[in-house]
Amino acid sequence: MKVMGIESSAHTFGVGIVKSGKVLSNEKSMYKISLSGMIPSNVADFHIEHSNEVISRALESANLSMDELDGICYTKGPGMGPCLQIGQLCAKTIAKELGIPIATVNHSVAHIEIARHYARQKDPIALYVSGGNSQILKLQKKPKNHYYIIGETFDIGVGNMLDNFARAAKFDPAWGSTVAKAAQGGKYVELPYVVKGMDFSFTGLLTRTNSLIGKEPINDLCFSIQETAFAMLCEAAERAMLMTNSKELCVCGGVAQSERLKEMLAEVAREHNAKFGYAPNALNADNGAMIAFVGERMLSKGKGESLSKCDIDQKYRTDLATVY
Ligand code: FE2
């Protein structure tokens, strides 16, 4: 099947096309986050403005015309309501126009599944780290095949924490990759470290680090907030691996683009003779190809949705979605 996937849950309007599990194209336009953060209605306007152009680019780079698509899918959630609605509207319009089947995809499951595919892993501990989410998961067969959440953040996602710190430090662009660059050569400043079993918390770390801006060298703060947060994630992921006897570890989501995080997790896996893997960076950032990847599997197993039931769910939890 040739399936188009549309992603619009946050700042990215992404469109990807997948055929038999192979990514044919993966195009996107990204809303630039300002110092005031993301205002959902402004991001939705951005998606409306860019949707046609990104869809055309995805078809062009896959060397396909619209009527050659066999199916379409979009992100049902989790995400920001006004933004999710734009992807939903685009996908439903195309499905109706072409008379092709449509599927609704869980954004978090798509992040994990594309990573599991590229890591060539069967049943890993998955560390899913992005702006809105930070979770440790494992596939569970019953009552349905779904990702069971073993551990997660008590408050905000690690990406959200790094972005918030970047805004407080007045970085431009105000996100994690800028913090990573500024962290080079930094020295360690002691900061709050909160892990409870396989759960963790980032707000205390953020508040303390923000309060030290102007009092400690900024590259020391960048280095220390990153090292502390990533060490917390590594400790929780390591405990999850040991508790479940797992010999596979994968990382996914926007923060999985961090070279430092991957280096630290690889070390954890090495210590336990476990396999470690992840998807290429373009497939870890929010993107349409991962949605198409999961959507193709759903549609090929007849798990599409009728147009009238194609909804969105801003709080669509990872453990509520069946993995096909
Ligand atoms: Fe994401």
Side-chain angles (χ1 to χ4, degrees):
M1 287 184 97
K2 295 181 284 294
V3 174
M4 176 181 277
I6 300 180
E7 156 59 29
S8 68
S9 63
H11 47 52
T12 300
F13 189 89
V15 180
I17 299 174
V18 162
K19 182 186 176 188
S20 308
K22 191 169 170 259
V23 176
L24 300 184
S25 66
N26 192 25
E27 300 291 329
K28 66 167 84 169
S29 275
M30 222 169 122
Y31 177 85
K32 191 170 180 287
I33 303 171
S34 65
L35 290 177
S36 53
M38 276 194 282
I39 297 161
S41 58
N42 291 353
V43 187
D45 285 344
F46 172 89
H47 289 347
I48 293 170
E49 211 173 295
H50 291 82
S51 55
N52 273 348
E53 176 254 328
V54 182
I55 290 169
S56 301
R57 261 198 281 140
L59 286 166
E60 203 178 310
S61 53
N63 208 11
L64 291 174
S65 60
M66 189 76 97
D67 55 13
E68 286 178 276
L69 293 175
D70 302 307
I72 184 134
C73 54
Y74 67 94
T75 303
K76 171 173 169 164
M80 299 190 290
C83 303
L84 289 167
Q85 279 173 335
I86 309 307
Q88 175 201 30
L89 188 64
C90 291
K92 284 177 82 167
T93 306
I94 293 170
K96 191 161 191 308
E97 201 61 34
L98 299 180
I100 55 175
I102 184 166
T104 64
V105 175
N106 180 291
H107 178 90
S108 315
V109 167
H111 269 302
I112 305 168
E113 285 297 278
I114 198 84
R116 186 164 73 95
H117 173 72
Y118 276 87
R120 295 173 190 272
Q121 296 182 354
K122 256 191 151 168
D123 187 19
I125 286 292
L127 175 64
Y128 167 37
V129 275
S130 67
N133 295 282
S134 291
Q135 296 176 329
I136 297 171
L137 313 100
K138 196 170 194 301
L139 269 175
Q140 187 163 292
K141 293 255 179 296
K142 286 178 183 170
K144 58 184 178 191
N145 201 41
H146 67 283
Y147 277 104
Y148 175 72
I149 301 169
I150 298 178
E152 65 183 319
T153 176
F154 283 127
D155 36 55
I156 56 174
V158 62
N160 188 352
M161 183 202 68
L162 291 170
D163 292 350
N164 188 306
F165 167 70
R167 286 199 295 276
K170 302 218 171 353
F171 285 159
D172 185 21
W175 52 48
S177 57
T178 318
V179 177
K181 267 187 211 142
Q184 283 166 18
K187 288 187 205 64
Y188 187 69
V189 176
E190 199 169 321
L191 294 172
Y193 179 101
V194 183
V195 177
K196 307 271 185 199
M198 284 167 288
D199 297 314
F200 31 83
S201 157
F202 293 116
T203 46
L205 171 59
L206 175 63
T207 306
R208 176 69 182 146
T209 315
N210 282 356
S211 76
L212 292 174
I213 293 172
K215 295 177 189 154
E216 297 281 353
I218 196 68
N219 62 330
D220 287 358
L221 292 179
C222 290
F223 174 78
S224 304
I225 193 172
Q226 203 179 248
E227 289 295 300
T228 307
F230 292 173
M232 284 161 50
L233 293 168
C234 284
E235 181 190 330
E238 182 176 27
R239 189 165 294 123
M241 282 176 69
L242 293 173
M243 298 264 296
T244 58
N245 250 329
S246 185
K247 286 290 175 193
E248 292 177 331
L249 173 67
C250 71
V251 63
C252 63
V255 183
Q257 294 173 94
S258 161
E259 290 309 318
R260 180 63 185 140
L261 177 60
K262 285 185 283 203
E263 188 179 81
M264 290 167 78
L265 289 167
E267 182 71 35
V268 169
R270 207 166 23 244
E271 281 199 15
H272 297 285
N273 293 319
K275 266 179 74 181
F276 173 61
Y278 45 84
N281 278 347
L283 296 171
N284 273 323
D286 284 354
N287 68 91
M290 67 178 190
I291 304 300
F293 180 80
V294 171
E296 188 197 15
R297 279 196 193 162
M298 293 172 77
L299 290 173
S300 64
K301 290 181 178 165
K303 300 296 178 188
E305 202 64 89
S306 64
L307 273 177
S308 61
K309 285 191 178 160
C310 281
D311 54 356
I312 59 159
D313 181 354
Q314 292 184 71
K315 296 188 172 160
Y316 191 12
R317 275 182 67 91
T318 324
D319 48 6
L320 293 179
T322 304
V323 177
Y324 294 102

